[in-house]
């Protein structure tokens, strides 16, 4: 173990070897999420009359920002919203669609955007749909009708209705969520693990009857703090193991105490959560003597606390507004470091976490913000997500890391340097994502490269003197990536200088 920091610098030793890999990264690790919540849809992606709106009312400026993120899937339409949603309300002529009370967020849903509008938007934004069915207020029958409407070519009631509504070719959505957060008492139609496990299994059987090749996601825990975790996973998987492909996990990160060191240790809890559920999957697999391998879909994650308590108060008292400002957390530079560490955790666990969705994408706890009638801009967290999504593809590397660490409330031995590595053989690059968690010490890291011949190295850095710095409509680029000068090719590999509290991406051309 290396000695702790002395005199403003600490040393780290890292080895990246072509022979030590975790496995291929599923590109859906960089998925996203849009819910009918607040202004995610209305005045987020959809704003007819906006100067940037296309012929369908979709904002082109937002589409451009989403396209640049290169997010391969987008989960829709919720979230808590889905658990009382009638998908049929969102089809047919827009002027005759019903307005409904949305019980999850106490708002009014106009249904001006439904599956047709969202599917067209997804195509424009360069992403594929991951759709959720309502297993809260509804069940198997509404779910099978929805899948038939979306995926069946024609000649049946639901598929012909889709065709009459303007869409001849089916969308052929591959990935379906069996409800949302069904372990949460706040969920409309909340169920016990036994009740939900039975319903999810029967629904999955019906959907597989339509198409055995669908990929199905069953609900795991809403957070590792839930009182039913991890028994929930065991019970639900025992009921569904033969029918599902993924179990979904959610986690949101908070810093109410304004303690950066503790805050940046939270990904250790995320790592433990993933490890535990991987163990539960193995337990059920062994118990059933099954060859099938269920994996994790981490389909909601992000920082969420900046406005959370105020929002909860407002929702309790308001009078069913349409598309109100809700969950519009403004992210700061500290959150860049956190999002970088979360993404690194997913890369290091990418053998079991195949899918992950940042929650959410626009306006609602989101990397992209919009002003009605005004501009769209990137929040601080847009950047680490974009860099990982574009450069963190290929094979995840099993790095050997030797660096001093600290003991935090959630875990002991949290390394000051959080680092993950990927090798993209197609592009001929090796990429390291490195976060220095230390407030005052730079990290001098020697990176040995084994089995990789480095030709050039490029350093991109995100840093700000103020952890609370944000990007706003007026100053949208206050926190953004710059070209760094902390990476050099050395004798055995790389020499890195990573300033205190910084996010770095180091890309090596091979
Ligand atoms: O993403 C916001 C909300 O968080 C989602 O609706 C719900 O699934 C989770 O509790």
């Amino acid at each position: 173990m290396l000695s702790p920091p002395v005199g403003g610098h600490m040393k780290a030793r890292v080895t990246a070897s072509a022979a030590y890999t975790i496995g291929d990264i599923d590109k859906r690790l960089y998925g996203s999420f849009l819910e009918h919540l607040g202004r995610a849809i209305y005045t987020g992606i959809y704003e007819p009359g906006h100067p940037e709106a296309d012929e369908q009312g979709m904002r082109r400026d937002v589409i451009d920002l989403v396209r640049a993120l290169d997010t391969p899937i987008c989960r829709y339409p919720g979230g808590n919203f889905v658990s009382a949603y009638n998908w049929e309300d969102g089809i047919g002529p827009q002027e005759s669609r019903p307005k409904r009370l949305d019980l999850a967020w106490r708002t009014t849903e106009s249904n001006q955007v439904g599956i047709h509008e969202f599917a067209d938007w997804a195509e424009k934004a360069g992403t594929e749909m991951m759709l959720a069915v309502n297993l809260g207020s509804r069940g198997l029958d509404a779910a099978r009708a929805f899948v038939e409407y979306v995926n069946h070519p024609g000649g049946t009631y639901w598929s012909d209705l889709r065709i009459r509504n303007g869409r001849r070719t089916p969308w052929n959505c591959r990935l379906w969520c069996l409800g949302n957060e069904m372990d949460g008492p706040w969920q409309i139609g909340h169920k016990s693990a036994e009740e939900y496990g039975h319903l999810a299994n029967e629904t999955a059987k019906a959907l597989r009857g339509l198409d055995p090749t669908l990929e199905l996601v069953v609900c795991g825990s809403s957070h590792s703090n839930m009182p039913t975790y991890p028994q929930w996973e065991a019970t639900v998987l025992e009921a569904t193991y033969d029918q599902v492909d993924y179990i979904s996990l959610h986690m949101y990160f908070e810093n109410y105490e304004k303690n950066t060191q503790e805050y940046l240790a939270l990904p250790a809890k995320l790592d433990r959560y993933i490890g535990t559920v991987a163990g539960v999957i193995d337990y059920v697999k062994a118990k059933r003597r099954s060859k099938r391998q269920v994996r994790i879909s981490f389909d909601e994650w992000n920082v969420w606390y900046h406005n959370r308590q105020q929002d909860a108060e407002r929702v309790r008292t308001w009078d069913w507004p349409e598309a109100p400002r809700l969950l519009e957390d403004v992210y700061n530079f500290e959150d860049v470091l956190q999002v970088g560490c979360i993404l690194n955790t997913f890369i290091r666990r990418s053998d079991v976490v195949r899918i992950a969705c940042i929650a959410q994408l626009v306006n609602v706890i989101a990397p992209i913000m919009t002003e009605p009638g005004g501009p769209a801009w990137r929040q601080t967290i847009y950047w680490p997500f974009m860099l990982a999504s574009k450069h963190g593809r290929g094979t995840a590397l099993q790095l050997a890391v030797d660096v001093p660490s600290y003991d935090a409330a959630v875990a002991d031995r949290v390394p000051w340097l959080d680092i993950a590595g990927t090798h993209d053989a197609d592009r001929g690059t090796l990429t390291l994502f490195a976060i220095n968690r230390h407030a005052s010490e730079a990290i001098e890291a020697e990176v040995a490269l084994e089995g990789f011949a480095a030709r050039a190295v490029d350093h991109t850095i995100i840093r700000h003197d103020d952890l609370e710095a944000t990007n706003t409509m007026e100053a949208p680029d206050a926190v953004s990536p710059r070209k760094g000068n902390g990476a050099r090719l050395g004798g055995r590999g790389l020499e890195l200088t990573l300033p205190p509290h910084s996010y770095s991406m180091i890309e090596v051309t091979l």
Side-chain angles (χ1 to χ4, degrees):
M1 178 56 84
L2 290 162
S3 54
V6 199
H9 289 275
M10 75 175 93
K11 302 267 186 219
R13 274 197 301 258
V14 178
T15 304
S17 169
Y20 294 103
T21 62
I22 295 165
D24 287 345
I25 295 171
D26 187 323
K27 65 180 182 179
R28 298 175 298 179
L29 201 65
Y30 307 109
S32 57
F33 174 34
L34 274 171
E35 176 170 2
H36 283 248
L37 194 182
R39 300 191 308 114
I41 304 293
Y42 305 110
T43 74
I45 63 166
Y46 176 78
E47 191 178 344
H50 188 278
E52 292 280 350
D54 66 13
E55 65 295 343
Q56 288 182 298
M58 296 298 176
R59 286 184 60 155
R60 289 195 188 88
D61 52 348
V62 175
I63 288 174
D64 289 346
L65 289 174
V66 175
R67 283 195 82 85
L69 281 178
D70 204 359
T71 176
I73 49 164
C74 187
R75 183 167 171 255
Y76 174 86
N80 295 341
F81 171 80
V82 80
S83 295
Y85 178 53
N86 297 339
W87 67 268
E88 306 91 322
D89 291 344
I91 60 174
Q94 279 171 307
E95 58 283 6
S96 41
R97 294 185 192 170
K99 281 195 178 195
R100 299 269 189 204
L101 296 182
D102 161 28
L103 305 180
W105 304 102
R106 293 193 78 248
T107 56
T108 300
E109 170 58 47
S110 69
N111 282 306
Q112 291 307 288
V113 171
I115 184 64
H116 288 258
E117 292 77 19
F118 180 71
D120 287 348
W121 176 86
E123 219 166 279
K124 292 173 194 168
T127 190
E128 284 186 16
M129 298 190 291
M130 172 186 197
L131 294 175
V133 299
N134 173 355
L135 293 190
S137 68
R138 304 184 84 187
L140 187 160
D141 212 38
R144 77 180 175 115
F146 191 22
V147 175
E148 188 178 320
Y149 188 89
V150 170
N151 281 359
H152 196 68
T156 65
Y157 176 80
W158 290 112
S159 54
D160 285 346
L161 184 57
R162 181 197 69 237
I163 294 167
R164 282 203 302 284
N165 284 334
R167 173 74 190 198
R168 172 151 292 283
T169 26
W171 291 294
N172 197 19
C173 174
R174 309 311 310 150
L175 192 53
W176 292 83
C177 304
L178 301 167
N180 174 70
E181 292 190 350
M182 298 308 297
D183 64 325
W186 58 85
Q187 204 67 214
I188 308 290
H190 161 65
K191 292 172 177 55
S192 69
E194 289 76 12
E195 289 164 344
Y196 171 66
H198 178 73
L199 175 62
N201 191 55
E202 292 307 312
T203 306
K205 270 164 55 190
L207 302 190
R208 293 215 180 282
L210 275 165
D211 178 352
T213 69
L214 294 178
E215 291 186 272
L216 300 178
V217 186
V218 74
C219 294
S221 292
S222 308
H223 200 289
S224 63
N225 295 341
M226 294 299 289
T228 46
Y229 163 80
Q231 184 58 49
W232 174 277
E233 279 76 2
T235 306
V236 166
L237 280 176
E238 288 199 27
T240 59
Y241 200 85
D242 295 337
Q243 295 295 342
V244 301
D245 302 286
Y246 304 94
I247 182 153
S248 89
L249 299 182
H250 295 174
M251 193 179 224
Y252 291 99
F253 297 76
E254 301 163 351
N255 187 15
Y256 288 114
E257 307 300 325
K258 293 281 166 215
N259 182 334
T260 305
Q261 204 163 301
E262 289 295 333
Y263 178 51
L264 295 181
L266 291 175
K269 188 171 171 181
L270 168 66
D271 187 69
R272 208 160 52 225
Y273 187 21
I274 294 167
T276 302
V277 175
V280 176
I281 294 171
D282 284 349
Y283 162 78
V284 177
K285 177 179 175 179
K287 208 169 158 191
R288 297 180 73 95
R289 313 288 189 260
S290 178
K291 284 208 297 199
R292 187 181 189 84
Q293 188 60 57
V294 169
R295 293 192 167 85
I296 293 173
S297 168
F298 217 108
D299 45 40
E300 283 187 37
W301 66 267
N302 204 351
V303 173
W304 177 14
Y305 78 97
H306 293 283
N307 289 353
R308 195 165 181 164
Q309 283 163 348
Q310 303 92 297
D311 281 341
E313 275 307 307
R314 285 165 57 233
V315 170
R316 262 195 286 281
T317 56
W318 70 23
D319 200 14
W320 306 101
E322 261 187 59
R325 291 184 188 265
L326 186 55
L327 275 61
E328 299 201 3
D329 278 34
V330 176
Y331 292 113
N332 59 28
F333 168 60
E334 184 181 56
D335 301 326
V336 169
L337 305 178
Q338 180 69 297
V339 164
C341 292
I342 296 168
L343 287 162
N344 276 358
T345 308
F346 290 142
I347 292 171
R348 290 189 295 260
R349 288 288 193 169
S350 55
D351 50 340
V352 55
V353 181
R354 304 301 287 164
I355 297 169
C357 302
I358 189 171
Q360 300 191 7
L361 189 55
V362 183
N363 286 334
V364 171
I365 41 173
I368 298 169
M369 293 299 288
T370 70
E371 186 57 24
W377 66 98
R378 303 171 187 89
Q379 290 233 58
T380 60
I381 61 166
Y382 182 95
W383 295 112
F385 184 79
M386 188 205 83
L387 292 171
S389 171
K390 289 194 91 74
H391 300 267
R393 308 275 176 117
T395 304
L397 297 172
Q398 185 71 66
L399 302 177
V401 183
D402 191 3
V403 66
S405 58
Y406 63 98
D407 290 348
V410 287
D412 288 341
R413 292 187 302 281
V414 177
W416 288 109
L417 170 65
D418 193 294
I419 189 162
T422 58
H423 172 216
D424 190 332
D426 296 339
R427 290 177 62 223
T429 52
L430 181 157
T431 307
L432 299 172
F433 302 95
I435 294 94
N436 180 351
R437 289 186 166 101
H438 204 285
S440 56
E441 309 285 341
I443 296 175
E444 300 286 352
E446 279 177 24
V447 184
L449 299 180
E450 294 177 354
F452 295 114
R455 290 197 288 120
V457 62
D458 201 43
H459 182 196
T460 302
I461 187 163
I462 312 177
R463 221 192 92 64
H464 202 287
D465 288 337
D466 181 4
L467 283 172
E468 308 234 343
T470 58
N471 290 346
T472 59
M473 180 162 55
E474 293 76 25
D477 298 320
V479 179
S480 49
R482 314 252 181 262
K483 193 165 172 45
N485 57 8
R488 299 158 298 278
L489 289 182
R492 290 184 58 222
L494 304 173
E495 291 161 8
L496 308 180
T497 304
L498 307 168
H501 278 168
S502 61
Y503 169 98
S504 290
M505 183 184 84
I506 299 103
E507 187 150 81
V508 180
T509 307
L510 303 169

